[in-house]
Amino acid sequence: MTAEQFADRHIGPGPDDERRMLDAVGYASIDELMDAAIPEVIRWHGRLDLPPPATEPEALAELRALAARNTVAVSMIGLGYHGTHTPAVIRRNVFENPAWYTAYTPYQPEISQGRLEALLNFQTMVSDLTGLVTANASMLDEGTAAAEAMTLARRASKHGSRVYVVDADALPQTIAVIVGRAEPLGIEVRVLDLDVEPLPAEFFGLHLQYPGASGAVRDHAPLVEAAHAVGALVTVAADLLALALLRPPGEIGADIAAGTTQRFGVPMGFGGPHAGYLAVRAGLERMLPGRLVGVSRDAAGAAAYRLALQTREQHIRREKATSNICTAQVLLAVMAGMYAVYHGPDGLREIAARTHRLAARLAAGLRAGGVDVADVAFFDTVTARVPGRAAEVVAEARRRGVNLRLVDADRVGVSCDETTTVEQLAVVWAAFGVDGVNGEVPEALPAGLARTSDFLTHPVFRAHRSETAMLRYLRRLADVDYALDRGMIPLGSCTMKLNATTEMEPVSWAEFAHIHPLAPAEQTAGYRELVGQLEGWLAEVTGYDAVSVQPNAGSQGELAGLLAIRAWHRSRGERHRDVCLIPSSAHGTNAASAVMAGMRVVVVGCDDDGNVDLVDLDAKIDAHRDTLAAIMVTYPSTHGVYETGIASLCAKVHDAGGQVYVDGANLNALVGFARPGRFGADVSHLNLHKTFCIPHGGGGPGVGPVAVRSHLAPFLPGDPAGAPVDGRPAIAAARYGSAGILPIPWAYLRMMGADGLARATGVAVLAANYVAARLREHFPVLYAGNKGLVAHECILDLRPVTKATGVSVDDVAKRLIDYGFHAPTMSFPVAGTLMVEPTESEDLAELDRFCDAMIAIRAEIDKVGSGEWPAGDNPLANAPHTAAMVGGDDWPHPYPRSVGAWPAGVSRVGKYWPPVRRVDGGYGDRNLVCSCPSPQAYES
Ligand SMILES: *Cc1c(COP(=O)(O)O)cnc(C)c1O
């Protein structure tokens, strides 16, 4: 028997399926189809230079070998990354459970109630702990959350000042990210030692760290008051575990709190992914970026969750955008929220108190041995002075298996956490050359800052103390959600393909999970080799010269790429180039990123075929020739078409001195057949959570590497922990961003190999064309390119049927739930349409099940159109149908219950039942409730 090829598992259709699909599309082979679909100007006829594909066991063995070159040491470095025990019930049933990790962003609330409830728990946890009324779910990391807080403060402050003050005791990587984001926006950051330096006379915002990076716990109330006195807003970057014991930011008057929830059960992962958080006081909630879960009601008046204040994202509004965050860190937010559910308020208080006691004991032992420990209040982190000896102490601790923080030549930082043991304290004492102390010592928290308010009072944080209860809670929530483990999620632009178990497994291994981002280089050789190989393979796949995996979402890759363009223009003395052309069909993040990169957005129209309007492009280039910085286009276009004009578009922009940014979110239509770095583009970001198999996790994590041609390589993201380098701002808080999930795309590339990847692309394009061919006579396919072919997705135009019958795209999307499907992408990029992306991973049976459902729905629409069913009361208008609805005693509808719940082709067994009827978004926006309401509130 030949060794089994992973590609045969990854790609859904087998040879027979392929033949039938090709017949339907009218081509003899995939090669012939691809030759016809892809314009010759961009077609690449080479073969990717990648290692021959490994089998699943081989890939795991190689990953084991890489993992073995990482060393799991005891981490007492701190700086926002801490050891934590992931409760095993959460690790196995959330982190390693496809019901949670393969879910999509909860834009369709009826099939997402489980993750929405979990995220509401997360928001409640953050809101309670910070003492601020509204928290979002979630941010990408602490650094970017702090940067978003800065821009929020600027929008909210009535102060015209450009000055933002940052506490010198803030986390270094936070300062690096804030500085990087401030510069293009014209914000002047002043980093001040607020213990000794006065606040400036004018500033619009103040960033404080609580506790400080040094460990010091200061009473920030006087600074908050001083800032408010001049009209500035205050952000407190707070450690949530410390807030179990310390007076929260909201109670000292902070306007905003920002930070990370990593130490709530999420492994360090060499820097990520973890959920950042952002919370605001009353009055700022409608300015909050990111996703906000809220409570609304369904068609029967029952309470139901959904994303609040946004058809998509309230803050991503083209040139008026205020943030570009799209993909967040949902899976990790769910874990952190569940950590709070698991431990409850008493458990968190106990973990915090124990952590503090250990730190107090550590300090007492150092002092008893004559070491100078800063005489300040602290929570978990101690800074010790050992003049001239710091490096020696750190090295000695490392020899003994413990990593400490080298602050400078004279100072060492030591952080305790949930995992710290008394034995580890003894190792630290020995490294300092002291004996330490036995037994308990007095606490070092300032009495005046002790927390007196309750938190996590909602019953959900008390009801799941036993593992049985916790397990069943997790199961209950997962059961009401629809994820890839139930069926196809044909979301255009989002590429919901297989997330293979072999790709996922290494993510839980200690050698990848339990590594601090600042661990010494000799402990991370395996990680760095993995990153190097992955960046090299991605460069090969895209045809670019250099890649950085630092950006932790597509949006962040966009910002990194545009900042590279900006820095390049500046390096050539062309500072005035600041216009970014963006086609009207672009994804919302594109314009938002351009605004954040300090560029002016100029929209280019599309022609009737959905292509970039080359006449309008010429006009816009002419109008902005001298100030043109870049064009940002998606390829294949967001319309799912291989535009033939791409090469001339690139040439025109280059002729005018601009750079070409190709949004690589649609790379699933190109891999192995065309390489943006070789067909004229200068820079792209990729979405590893789309094309390269990182699961969406219910809306994150993701990785958005930025790939550039050589002239832009000097401007790739800088190291947030290193000295600032001009033109190389840090994009994320950790050097390798969400390093912890990079084994996933590594394994995918390693197991697919050049031929497997190209075959995947071919089958993805075949599948989209198959769906288009089967559905075309029932719903017009909006755009097509060469020979009437689409790329890897197709847009079904519902506007004609909506016009004729009143049945909306929403009705069809919700009716698909009754048929057991997640709706395709709705109304993007064209309002009133559905964009279907089947991907290569769905087999023919599933593709046919989907097409059959769409055809059956079309027949239902006709019954509404003909008047057989009344417009307001039919299976489409009432969709989705819940079990409670069809099982109720009351059935006033003009069609049988069975037609509602089991339309043609839907199995009686294993049917997916949504837990709620159609959710009323507007009601929830008018009555905004974004943390767990009391149980009584659900009754009214
Ligand atoms: C998904 C997507 C993005 C944004 O990626 P995120 O990871 O969600 O930030 C940008 N452009 C296009 C075309 C996309 O489909």
Side-chain angles (χ1 to χ4, degrees):
M1 210 173 92
T2 54
E4 176 158 325
Q5 291 285 309
F6 169 73
D8 295 334
R9 299 273 176 198
H10 175 82
I11 297 171
D16 292 342
D17 287 354
E18 256 177 51
R19 212 163 307 116
R20 286 174 46 206
M21 291 158 70
L22 282 164
D23 282 348
V25 180
Y27 287 84
S29 69
I30 288 184
D31 278 346
E32 207 177 273
L33 170 71
M34 296 303 275
D35 285 344
I38 301 188
E40 190 53 35
V41 281
I42 62 152
R43 179 70 190 269
W44 176 68
H45 291 280
R47 182 160 180 268
L48 293 171
D49 183 15
L50 296 172
T55 63
E56 294 181 59
E58 285 166 357
L60 282 176
E62 286 181 28
L63 281 162
R64 281 277 178 213
L66 284 170
R69 298 183 52 216
N70 294 334
T71 304
V72 181
V74 175
S75 180
M76 300 182 84
I77 297 170
L79 288 182
Y81 305 96
H82 301 274
T84 177
H85 292 303
T86 309
V89 65
I90 294 175
R91 191 187 60 238
R92 176 160 290 190
N93 299 289
V94 178
F95 193 50
E96 297 175 343
N97 181 351
W100 289 96
Y101 69 70
T102 71
Y104 181 64
T105 310
Y107 293 130
Q108 297 285 339
E110 296 83 3
I111 55 152
S112 313
Q113 291 293 300
R115 54 197 185 272
L116 285 164
E117 177 165 333
L119 291 175
L120 197 73
N121 292 345
F122 173 87
Q123 290 178 181
T124 305
M125 168 191 92
V126 172
S127 163
D128 280 10
L129 283 167
T130 58
L132 291 163
V133 287
T134 308
N136 72 5
S138 60
M139 303 307 287
L140 291 162
D141 59 25
E142 177 155 349
T144 54
E148 295 278 2
M150 168 179 71
T151 52
L152 200 168
R154 193 178 196 198
R155 292 196 297 281
S157 165
K158 288 172 193 71
H159 212 297
S161 168
R162 295 177 164 271
V163 175
Y164 192 62
V165 179
V166 178
D167 178 1
D169 203 16
L171 298 174
Q173 68 271 18
T174 298
I175 297 176
V177 174
I178 286 177
V179 167
R181 303 254 165 155
E183 191 271 333
L185 298 174
I187 295 171
E188 181 194 330
V189 176
R190 292 216 198 131
V191 181
L192 299 177
D193 178 350
L194 297 167
D195 287 342
V196 293
E197 291 177 276
L199 287 168
E202 307 233 298
F203 58 103
F204 71 83
L206 170 63
H207 175 100
L208 299 168
Q209 190 89 39
Y210 183 61
S214 66
V217 176
R218 299 177 177 88
D219 182 358
H220 288 314
L223 286 169
V224 172
E225 221 170 280
H228 285 167
V230 300
L233 271 73
V234 180
T235 296
V236 173
D239 177 337
L240 287 187
L241 188 62
L243 297 184
L245 303 179
L246 294 175
R247 190 189 302 163
E251 293 176 22
I252 59 166
D255 304 283
I256 306 168
T260 176
T261 61
Q262 179 269 320
R263 73 191 307 177
F264 280 28
V266 181
M268 291 181 285
F270 199 32
H274 329 119
Y277 75 80
L278 194 60
V280 294
R281 64 160 161 81
L284 296 177
E285 56 278 67
R286 287 171 200 263
M287 293 189 184
L288 194 62
R291 300 189 181 125
L292 187 60
V293 175
V295 182
S296 187
R297 59 180 191 195
D298 76 358
Y305 310 106
R306 95 283 176 242
L307 293 179
L309 299 180
Q310 46 213 341
T311 37
R312 274 235 161 187
E313 250 69 60
Q314 61 164 337
H315 54 274
I316 307 178
R317 284 173 308 184
R318 282 281 168 80
E319 49 283 3
K320 292 198 186 66
T322 51
S323 161
N324 66 346
I325 184 169
C326 180
T327 287
Q329 301 280 21
V330 171
L331 185 69
L332 305 314
V334 169
M335 288 176 71
M338 287 303 172
Y339 179 93
V341 168
Y342 179 81
H343 287 296
D346 295 338
L348 287 187
R349 228 177 263 119
E350 177 46 36
I351 292 167
R354 181 177 174 281
T355 301
H356 175 65
R357 283 196 302 270
L358 286 164
R361 191 157 156 194
L362 172 71
L366 291 172
R367 285 194 181 116
V371 175
D372 176 10
V373 175
D375 186 22
V376 292
F378 57 85
F379 165 60
D380 65 352
T381 299
V382 169
T383 301
R385 270 191 88 77
V386 279
R389 278 210 312 130
E392 188 190 312
V393 169
V394 170
E396 182 54 31
R398 191 182 302 170
R399 263 192 294 282
R400 296 164 181 261
V402 176
N403 293 335
L404 306 180
R405 175 186 177 210
L406 180 66
V407 181
D408 55 31
D410 304 328
R411 290 180 298 167
V412 177
V414 190
S415 278
C416 296
D417 59 46
E418 182 191 5
T419 69
T420 306
T421 63
V422 175
E423 292 70 31
Q424 289 163 1
L425 296 189
V427 173
V428 176
W429 285 325
F432 277 90
V434 305
D435 295 334
V437 292
N438 282 317
E440 295 290 317
V441 302
E443 293 192 354
L445 286 172
L449 287 178
R451 180 167 193 138
T452 54
S453 53
D454 270 346
F455 55 91
L456 305 186
T457 53
H458 190 274
V460 76
F461 298 107
R462 296 179 184 272
H464 306 100
R465 264 321 66 75
S466 75
E467 182 164 328
T468 303
M470 188 73 199
L471 179 72
R472 290 178 186 160
Y473 181 54
L474 293 172
R475 172 68 192 251
R476 179 161 72 70
L477 295 189
D479 269 359
V480 297
D481 278 14
Y482 184 103
L484 272 180
D485 62 340
R486 283 186 194 275
M488 180 179 183
I489 305 186
L491 278 163
S493 212
C494 299
T495 314
M496 298 292 291
K497 58 162 72 171
L498 171 73
N499 316 116
T501 310
T502 291
E503 294 157 3
M504 297 301 298
E505 275 188 333
V507 170
S508 305
W509 297 350
E511 296 86 346
F512 290 125
H514 302 311
I515 306 282
H516 191 286
L518 302 173
E522 76 262 19
Q523 294 176 11
T524 60
Y527 247 130
R528 284 176 297 111
E529 185 170 341
L530 182 143
V531 168
Q533 287 178 353
L534 179 61
E535 289 179 346
W537 295 341
L538 293 174
E540 171 65 15
V541 166
T542 55
Y544 285 105
D545 300 308
V547 173
S548 165
V549 297
Q550 186 183 108
N552 46 17
S555 61
Q556 309 303 297
E558 292 174 17
L559 178 60
L562 291 171
L563 289 176
I565 290 174
R566 180 171 182 271
W568 180 76
H569 283 309
R570 291 179 162 229
S571 75
R572 295 155 42 95
E574 306 222 282
R575 299 175 70 87
H576 54 282
R577 290 195 176 268
D578 67 348
V579 166
C580 187
L581 302 178
I582 299 184
S584 57
S585 62
H587 194 266
T589 52
N590 287 185
S593 298
V595 171
M596 291 172 71
M599 294 183 180
R600 290 185 289 144
V601 174
V602 172
V603 176
V604 181
C606 289
D607 63 19
D608 292 344
D609 298 327
N611 298 323
V612 174
D613 181 341
L614 294 178
V615 176
D616 192 38
L617 177 70
D618 286 339
K620 297 288 157 63
I621 289 177
D622 275 347
H624 302 282
R625 183 168 294 274
D626 298 334
T627 51
L628 185 62
I631 188 168
M632 229 179 160
V633 290
T634 303
Y635 201 86
S637 75
T638 51
H639 293 141
V641 173
Y642 295 106
E643 293 183 38
T644 46
I646 183 71
S648 80
L649 177 149
C650 293
K652 286 168 192 257
V653 171
H654 282 146
D655 285 349
Q659 292 277 287
V660 177
Y661 187 113
V662 166
D663 178 327
N666 288 344
L667 206 74
N668 215 44
L670 297 181
V671 176
F673 288 88
R675 305 199 295 169
R678 298 300 159 95
F679 66 63
D682 301 290
V683 46
S684 289
H685 77 272
L686 317 178
N687 287 59
L688 301 192
H689 46 301
K690 293 176 182 171
T691 315
F692 297 94
C693 297
I694 293 175
H696 276 63
V703 177
V706 54
V708 294
R709 292 198 25 227
S710 57
H711 63 287
L712 295 179
F715 309 107
L716 284 174
D719 181 357
V725 181
D726 204 24
R728 300 193 74 160
I731 290 294
R735 179 162 181 193
Y736 300 112
S738 290
I741 50 176
L742 295 179
I744 304 167
W746 187 97
Y748 176 63
L749 286 161
R750 186 69 195 84
M751 297 191 295
M752 291 295 275
D755 296 341
L757 289 170
R759 219 173 95 214
T761 306
V763 174
V765 172
L766 173 61
N769 280 287
Y770 176 77
V771 170
R774 275 207 64 193
L775 295 183
R776 186 167 268 132
E777 64 181 277
H778 308 280
F779 300 95
V781 172
L782 197 49
Y783 299 113
N786 275 354
K787 312 226 162 56
L789 293 169
V790 298
H792 64 312
E793 58 196 7
C794 62
I795 298 179
L796 304 177
D797 193 355
L798 271 69
R799 292 171 301 184
V801 292
T802 300
K803 203 162 165 225
T805 65
V807 173
S808 69
V809 67
D810 226 35
D811 294 333
V812 173
K814 303 309 177 191
R815 184 62 174 152
L816 275 167
I817 298 172
D818 289 330
Y819 281 85
F821 285 98
H822 189 294
T825 298
M826 256 172 59
S827 293
F828 171 79
V830 183
T833 66
L834 291 174
M835 183 158 65
V836 183
E837 180 180 355
T839 85
E840 70 277 12
S841 291
E842 298 298 340
D843 61 25
L844 182 56
E846 187 69 355
L847 296 177
D848 278 337
R849 192 171 74 89
F850 175 75
C851 293
D852 292 344
M854 287 301 293
I855 292 166
I857 287 173
R858 182 61 229 250
E860 293 179 346
I861 295 173
D862 287 342
K863 289 192 186 172
V864 178
S866 71
E868 186 177 338
W869 284 336
D873 189 3
N874 58 66
L876 290 138
N878 293 329
H881 294 77
T882 60
M885 185 184 178
V886 295
D889 296 327
D890 189 24
W891 184 260
H893 307 292
Y895 55 93
R897 286 177 160 91
S898 59
V899 170
W902 291 281
V906 175
S907 159
R908 301 269 149 173
V909 292
K911 176 187 157 60
Y912 168 74
W913 288 102
V916 295
R917 291 181 56 187
R918 199 170 311 180
V919 177
D920 182 343
Y923 176 84
D925 286 350
R926 289 188 300 276
N927 305 279
L928 195 60
V929 176
C930 295
S931 53
C932 302
S934 66
Q936 297 87 299
Y938 286 93
E939 283 163 16
S940 58

